[in-house]
Amino acid sequence: MKPKSQQQKPEAAQVRTPPETEPGAGRGFTHVPVMMREVLEALRPADGRIYLDGTLGGGGHARAILEASSPGGFLYGCDRDEAAIRAASERLAPYSGRFELRQGVFEQVDWVPEEACAGILLDLGVSSHQLDTPGRGFSFMADGPLDMRMNPREGITAAEILNSWPEGELARLFWEYGDERAARRIARRIVEERQMSPMTTTGQLAALIERVEPRRGRPKHPATQSFQALRIATNDELGILRRGLETLWTRLARGGRFAIITFHSLEDRVVKEYFRALVRDYDIPGPVDRADLRVPRAPYALAVTRKALRASEEETAANPRARSAQLRVVEKC
Ligand SMILES: C[S@@+](CC[C@H](N)C(=O)[O-])C[C@H]1O[C@@H](n2cnc3c(N)ncnc32)[C@H](O)[C@@H]1O
């Protein structure tokens, strides 16, 4: 079925959240979507409109968007991870004919028509399914190969980074992407260890970090920040986000809304700065914003959220992943 035209006026928000426990919902793929109510209020899915989910995961948000835009809403969806595409296809099966899913990164959505979408969603980071599958190598909670690629068929693994990058580059990675105070010491220890035997498993890396930074009763595992940093580098998450925002913007129709959920300050800063530039009513000709050099223009977007929205206390109590989630939304002028 082809999507209907986008030329109709937006209708009043109609927010219906489907239950998350329907039978056959992406069997074996466990991921509880965060800030569902807020996402639906932001995107206001409506019948006959087109939506794009650039980070499908298990299809939880996508399913809610299709349900709320019934009977004629259409959804394009992508994910780098083919396991996510499989799970989302299964979960979205009841909406057959109303979606098109492809494996790939959201910076490459040339297959989605330009200025077609009434709403675009990014729910960044990794899914619980990726984290909880030891073979994917994302977590220090269970031993597995140091892979960490969201698309296991593409790019270099976390192990390849750890075994080949110079010490200084590794220290910069842990410091810049993980805000890790012991970045230099961890990098030095990795270089010492890899001279004896290559870094191959998550357990090996977690134990090494724990030796550098003993836990001393702290609730947070000392490897938390370094694992996040390594994942960001392995998947070029920030580079793809910067470039992807530009591409996705071209897929949004006028009056359409762009909603992005981030989980750490680095990606939130990229989104905040991109949205801030869209809602400004002037261009900055040089690298520094000087009031006397500003060139007035009409804003490209309206801010729907002045500040990032956070998950409710009720949600964070039920789903600890939601604690670090921040949602920002703009509307295209
Ligand atoms: C937090 S999960 C999304 C969960 C989803 N909203 C749901 O309701 O199930 C993030 C997903 O985004 C995918 N992802 C991350 N970066 C991506 C990118 N640049 N392009 C496409 N998919 C990406 C990951 O593979 C993961 O499946």
Side-chain angles (χ1 to χ4, degrees), residues 29 31-34 36 53-62 78-81 84 91 104-107 121-128 130 136 150-151 235-237 240-241 261 263 321:
F29 195 107
H31 179 90
V32 180
V34 302
M36 182 66 98
D53 185 341
T55 52
L56 267 175
H61 285 117
C78 72
D79 199 294
R80 301 174 85 159
D81 190 339
R91 176 172 267 182
V105 285
F106 56 66
E107 75 167 312
L121 174 67
L122 291 182
D123 173 20
L124 295 167
V126 276
S127 65
S128 307
Q130 288 166 328
R136 303 294 302 269
M150 291 184 195
N151 177 353
N235 294 287
D236 183 21
E237 289 180 35
I240 290 181
L241 177 59
I261 302 172
F263 289 88
R321 257 192 88 251

Side-chain angles (χ1 to χ4, degrees), residues 206-236:
L208 179 150
I209 294 170
E210 226 176 331
R211 285 199 299 278
V212 174
E213 272 188 292
R215 199 161 178 168
R216 296 201 185 93
R218 280 173 297 182
K220 196 164 152 181
H221 193 289
T224 309
Q225 304 299 103
S226 300
F227 267 66
Q228 175 189 287
L230 197 49
R231 192 201 83 207
I232 293 173
T234 302
N235 294 287
D236 183 21

Side-chain angles (χ1 to χ4, degrees), residues 255-272:
R257 290 189 166 185
F258 198 173
I260 306 184
I261 302 172
T262 61
F263 289 88
H264 57 78
S265 59
L266 291 173
E267 57 191 15
D268 183 57
R269 193 177 314 141
V270 173
V271 173
K272 187 165 78 179

Side-chain angles (χ1 to χ4, degrees), residues 12-49:
Q14 196 183 16
V15 177
R16 281 173 287 153
T17 310
E20 277 309 309
T21 49
E22 83 279 18
R27 261 182 292 273
F29 195 107
T30 46
H31 179 90
V32 180
V34 302
M35 301 188 77
M36 182 66 98
R37 181 178 52 80
E38 293 83 352
V39 164
L40 293 177
E41 282 173 1
L43 295 182
R44 305 174 300 183
D47 182 14
R49 296 298 172 108

